[in-house]
Amino acid sequence: MMEVNREVRDRNRPLRVVVSVGERAQIEAMAKECRMSVSAYLRNVGLGFQPNSRFDREAIRNLVSLHADQGRLGGLLKLWLAERKGEGANAREIRSVLQQIESLQMELARIVMTEKKRL
């Protein structure tokens, strides 16, 4: 993770911040989510740098991957439907593709709902 300032820091000059128990837990959780120490997180946020959470990047990668999988499955289904019945794929294969599409839709919904609750 990028830091705003790379100056040598004097460990004998800490900055004291008074927080509640809940605030401390929230700051620690946010720092962990960004894969930063609490000190680095607070320093960077205090200097105007807004770190991205790791979850955001992972969620986006997962959604992109699931979207690509759905596109491929949809393409297979479209190919079968465009062909005459019995050509291109048999009914069992189509049922399998439909089940995979349904599974991917459920996974997408789960990821979206998890993110919605987080916001």
Side-chain angles (χ1 to χ4, degrees):
M1 179 82 29
M2 220 173 91
E3 286 190 28
V4 173
N5 189 343
R6 293 204 176 264
E7 290 180 38
V8 175
R9 295 181 183 89
D10 182 356
R11 291 193 175 273
N12 295 320
R13 306 186 97 223
L15 182 62
R16 186 170 182 243
V17 179
V18 179
V19 295
S20 69
V21 171
E23 290 169 333
R24 180 183 186 103
Q26 187 175 359
I27 290 168
E28 288 173 345
M30 292 172 79
K32 183 178 181 180
E33 190 174 287
C34 294
R35 293 181 146 173
M36 300 175 85
S37 67
V38 171
S39 180
Y41 177 80
L42 289 175
R43 180 175 49 251
N44 286 327
V45 170
L47 292 172
F49 175 71
Q50 186 61 46
N52 294 322
S53 76
R54 185 185 63 161
F55 176 81
D56 294 339
R57 289 189 304 274
E58 287 178 11
I60 289 168
R61 272 193 293 265
N62 287 339
L63 289 172
V64 167
S65 176
L66 288 170
H67 182 264
D69 289 346
Q70 270 198 309
R72 282 189 291 278
L73 291 170
L76 289 172
L77 182 58
K78 184 178 178 180
L79 174 68
W80 181 78
L81 293 173
E83 299 287 328
R84 282 183 263 160
K85 191 170 183 171
E87 295 180 17
N90 64 40
R92 190 180 69 192
E93 291 172 336
I94 295 304
R95 275 195 228 75
S96 174
V97 169
L98 289 172
Q99 288 173 346
Q100 290 176 41
I101 290 172
E102 183 179 17
S103 175
L104 287 171
Q105 286 173 329
M106 290 171 44
E107 180 66 12
L108 280 170
R110 185 192 63 76
I111 291 170
V112 169
M113 292 307 292
T114 299
E115 180 63 14
K116 184 178 176 182
K117 287 178 186 176
R118 197 177 80 76
L119 299 176

